[in-house]
Amino acid sequence: MVKKLLIVLGCCIVIYSVYYDLTYGTMPIATPAAVDKTNKTYYNIKVEPGDTVISLIEEKEGTLPVPIEQIIEDFRSLNNGLNPEEIKIGQTYRLKDY
């Protein structure tokens, strides 16, 4: 009798878990990258000690997806003309999502 009760209880837990997972999900919802006025997608990133614009992009992409000149141009356009060598630790900047 106890064995059957445990089996029924276990089945109820499994069914509820599947229902909850399908209804609400258990993984966070990915938010799409933001889009600026020129339809370029970008993401915000906070600079940590030792970071450079190039290292931040390499960290996300693995390798540089475009030439360095293009990265510099995109960084300037997304950050009000700021040069990449002027970034400051603790500040948040926009980087293009390549």
Side-chain angles (χ1 to χ4, degrees), residues 10-24:
C11 288
C12 289
I13 290 172
V14 169
I15 291 170
Y16 177 75
S17 298
V18 170
Y19 165 77
Y20 184 85
D21 188 41
L22 293 175
T23 305
Y24 302 104

Side-chain angles (χ1 to χ4, degrees), residues 23 32-33 58 61 63 74 96:
T23 305
E58 283 179 332
E61 302 291 332
T63 60
D74 293 337
K96 184 172 179 192

Side-chain angles (χ1 to χ4, degrees), residues 3-90:
K3 191 185 254 186
K4 288 181 183 180
L5 182 64
L6 288 175
I7 290 173
V8 170
L9 184 61
C11 288
C12 289
I13 290 172
V14 169
I15 291 170
Y16 177 75
S17 298
V18 170
Y19 165 77
Y20 184 85
D21 188 41
L22 293 175
T23 305
Y24 302 104
T26 54
M27 297 186 64
I29 297 172
T31 55
V35 178
D36 72 352
K37 297 176 251 181
T38 60
N39 278 340
K40 293 180 181 177
T41 57
Y42 65 89
Y43 57 97
N44 294 320
I45 193 153
K46 187 175 182 179
V47 175
E48 302 294 330
D51 285 343
T52 65
V53 172
I54 301 297
S55 70
L56 292 169
I57 291 175
E58 283 179 332
E59 193 174 297
K60 184 173 187 300
E61 302 291 332
T63 60
L64 293 181
V66 294
I68 293 174
E69 293 79 18
Q70 182 68 44
I71 292 171
I72 293 169
E73 182 180 318
D74 293 337
F75 181 82
R76 285 181 182 148
S77 68
L78 289 171
N79 293 285
N80 299 323
L82 182 71
N83 289 320
E85 53 273 359
E86 296 173 353
I87 63 173
K88 295 186 171 117
I89 296 169

